Amino acid sequence: MYKGAIKSRKKRKEKKREVFAMVAEFVPVQELGKSLKEVPKNYIAPEDKIPVVNEPGKSVPVVDLCDFDLSPEQHERVVHEIATASSEWGFFQVINHGIDVAKPQKASRDFFELPKEEKLKYAAKEYGFKSDGYGSKISNADDAVQLWRDFLFLCTSPKRNLDNWPAQPPEYKEAMSGLADDFLMLAKKVLGFLSEGVGLPTDYFEKCFGIPNQSILTNYYPGCPEPDKVLGFMPHSDFGGLTLLLQDGVPGLQVLKNNTWVVVEPIPGAITINISDLLELMSNGRYRSVIHRVQVNASRPRMSIACNYSCSFDSGVAPAPELIDEEHPQLYKPVKFGDYVQEVVKKGPTGKSYMLINHDSKPEYMLFQKH
């Protein structure tokens, strides 16, 4: 017993030293961008030969929600537009959604403009997205390519510990907590449209998610001396159910469609919504979780606020039985969401290697690749 207690205390001390070392080693990318003329080698991303288009009118669909004051005809239009965008693009933007986006955007920008010493008071205690906090790395692997980005991660549902959130600027906690509530409301309404879009009861997908797991990730992409060599975020699909995103006025988000990167042009006040892996699985492939990435630029910092809406980690997820028939064979096997997240975190946010997406072949595809 005595030896076991000593061993246990020793492990706790080692863990604390590891955490403190991590915090001490953390150098915000925002600080690197101020002093460097060349990017460090561990930030250089693999070359990407896929072309980029930035043509007027060539972007993800835009859906007018009319502040949810919808006539039956408008409701039918919204359902159709969201379902079509989710199956063809996996992305769309919504306008007239009734959410005040100015306050959380200002509070978030004011946070990243604080002195480094103030921001480091809220440094995340672990790598990745395991706890509230400010950070840069999502992996400590020696061979991991680092992103040209700093972040502030907040757990917002089912538990919300405001004591861990920044005290500066003073309006930060109220603004972001309000945004979390608004995002939760909007996500549930969009899930209703998506359910109706495949002929299911309005509350079908919301019931599948149960008590939702929600988090808010604010990304800050500083100007970069060599923007063509780095990425703000690697090409990836999101592993949750829905992602709701506030962009500022600086372009950077790009969606992969028909082997071309399409720029998601920022619309003032709009919220960008994309289908994540769980909804592709639940809809048996009717809706698509697509690969996207973030590019940075040389002169202007860019900020985005992303909300991930998913289910609890111990939830089982499966395609809706109503969406499986002779014409639509089952494409994915049921999975425990926590197991899926572990696979994603283990390998990092790269591509879509955890969900097999060739729907033109056999129906025995499963969520994880066979080893």
Side-chain angles (χ1 to χ4, degrees):
M1 290 271 301
Y2 181 68
K3 286 182 180 179
I6 291 177
K7 240 182 223 186
S8 178
R9 282 197 299 269
K10 188 176 178 182
K11 282 184 180 178
R12 286 199 297 270
K13 285 181 180 178
E14 286 174 354
K15 181 67 176 174
K16 284 183 180 178
R17 281 198 295 270
E18 181 184 323
V19 168
F20 292 146
M22 185 210 79
V23 173
E25 291 169 5
F26 168 44
V27 179
V29 175
Q30 195 173 356
E31 297 301 314
L32 292 177
K34 293 177 182 177
S35 57
L36 296 179
K37 293 184 179 179
E38 296 181 354
V39 298
K41 289 182 179 179
N42 59 326
Y43 286 88
I44 296 177
E47 287 189 21
D48 193 338
K49 304 296 184 184
I50 299 174
V52 177
V53 298
N54 192 5
E55 303 169 4
K58 179 87 172 180
S59 190
V60 304
V62 179
V63 181
D64 187 349
L65 296 180
C66 304
D67 292 320
F68 293 100
D69 184 18
L70 300 169
S71 66
E73 293 77 15
Q74 288 172 322
H75 182 96
E76 187 176 342
R77 170 189 60 79
V78 168
V79 169
H80 174 73
E81 290 179 356
I82 287 179
T84 301
S86 299
S87 62
E88 294 181 359
W89 283 84
F91 267 78
F92 54 95
Q93 298 193 69
V94 294
I95 58 174
N96 296 320
H97 44 68
I99 295 177
D100 178 6
V101 301
K103 288 180 181 177
Q105 284 182 315
K106 183 181 184 303
S108 296
R109 188 166 293 284
D110 287 348
F111 171 81
F112 283 99
E113 291 176 355
L114 292 171
K116 178 182 71 171
E117 293 72 22
E118 179 67 23
K119 288 180 290 192
L120 285 175
K121 292 179 182 178
Y122 307 102
K125 299 298 186 289
E126 298 180 67
Y127 286 109
F129 304 136
K130 297 180 181 179
S131 63
D132 293 333
Y134 171 61
S136 180
K137 291 183 176 183
I138 56 174
S139 172
N140 198 30
D142 293 336
D143 59 348
V145 175
Q146 300 301 331
L147 303 175
W148 194 261
R149 176 207 65 155
D150 296 327
F151 67 79
L152 182 58
F153 179 76
L154 306 173
C155 298
T156 53
S157 177
K159 294 182 179 179
R160 192 178 305 180
N161 188 353
L162 296 182
D163 292 339
N164 292 341
W165 293 20
Q168 298 296 328
E171 66 277 11
Y172 184 85
K173 293 182 182 182
E174 181 181 355
M176 297 307 289
S177 193
L179 181 66
D181 293 338
D182 289 339
F183 271 159
L184 205 57
M185 172 274 298
L186 179 58
K188 290 179 178 180
K189 289 187 175 181
V190 170
L191 286 175
F193 295 135
L194 288 166
S195 294
E196 293 178 29
V198 287
L200 295 171
T202 304
D203 60 355
Y204 183 89
F205 287 136
E206 183 182 343
K207 283 184 175 179
C208 287
F209 282 99
I211 298 173
N213 231 324
Q214 184 200 43
S215 60
I216 288 183
L217 175 68
T218 304
N219 300 292
Y220 187 87
Y221 306 96
C224 179
E226 297 180 292
D228 294 337
K229 292 185 177 181
V230 305
L231 282 172
F233 224 109
M234 293 291 186
H236 69 289
S237 65
D238 293 344
F239 59 77
L242 276 180
T243 299
L244 288 70
L245 179 78
L246 278 178
Q247 297 195 80
D248 62 9
V250 181
L253 175 62
Q254 298 174 351
V255 175
L256 189 62
K257 181 171 174 60
N258 299 330
N259 204 35
T260 301
W261 289 114
V262 178
V263 178
V264 181
E265 294 289 351
I267 298 173
I271 294 175
T272 303
I273 299 178
N274 65 276
I275 303 300
S276 301
D277 293 349
L278 289 189
L279 265 179
E280 178 169 328
L281 184 148
M282 290 177 181
S283 68
N284 197 38
R286 306 288 182 91
Y287 298 136
R288 296 176 53 221
S289 171
V290 302
I291 293 176
H292 51 287
R293 70 176 187 182
V294 176
Q295 284 198 315
V296 300
N297 64 78
S299 57
R300 294 187 295 171
R302 177 179 178 271
M303 189 187 73
S304 67
I305 304 174
C307 168
N308 177 274
Y309 182 102
S310 59
C311 57
S312 65
F313 292 117
D314 58 356
S315 296
V317 184
E322 297 87 343
L323 302 181
I324 300 170
D325 54 36
E326 289 185 5
E327 292 184 11
H328 305 92
Q330 183 171 338
L331 298 176
Y332 307 110
K333 292 184 179 179
V335 67
K336 183 178 175 183
F337 180 54
D339 294 341
Y340 182 54
V341 173
Q342 281 187 342
E343 289 293 311
V344 175
V345 171
K346 191 188 303 179
K347 298 176 183 177
T350 302
K352 197 172 177 182
S353 57
Y354 321 111
M355 179 174 278
L356 302 178
I357 58 175
N358 181 1
H359 294 169
D360 299 321
S361 189
K362 297 179 181 179
E364 291 83 24
Y365 279 117
M366 57 191 298
L367 193 60
F368 296 140
Q369 285 183 317
K370 294 178 181 177
H371 299 290

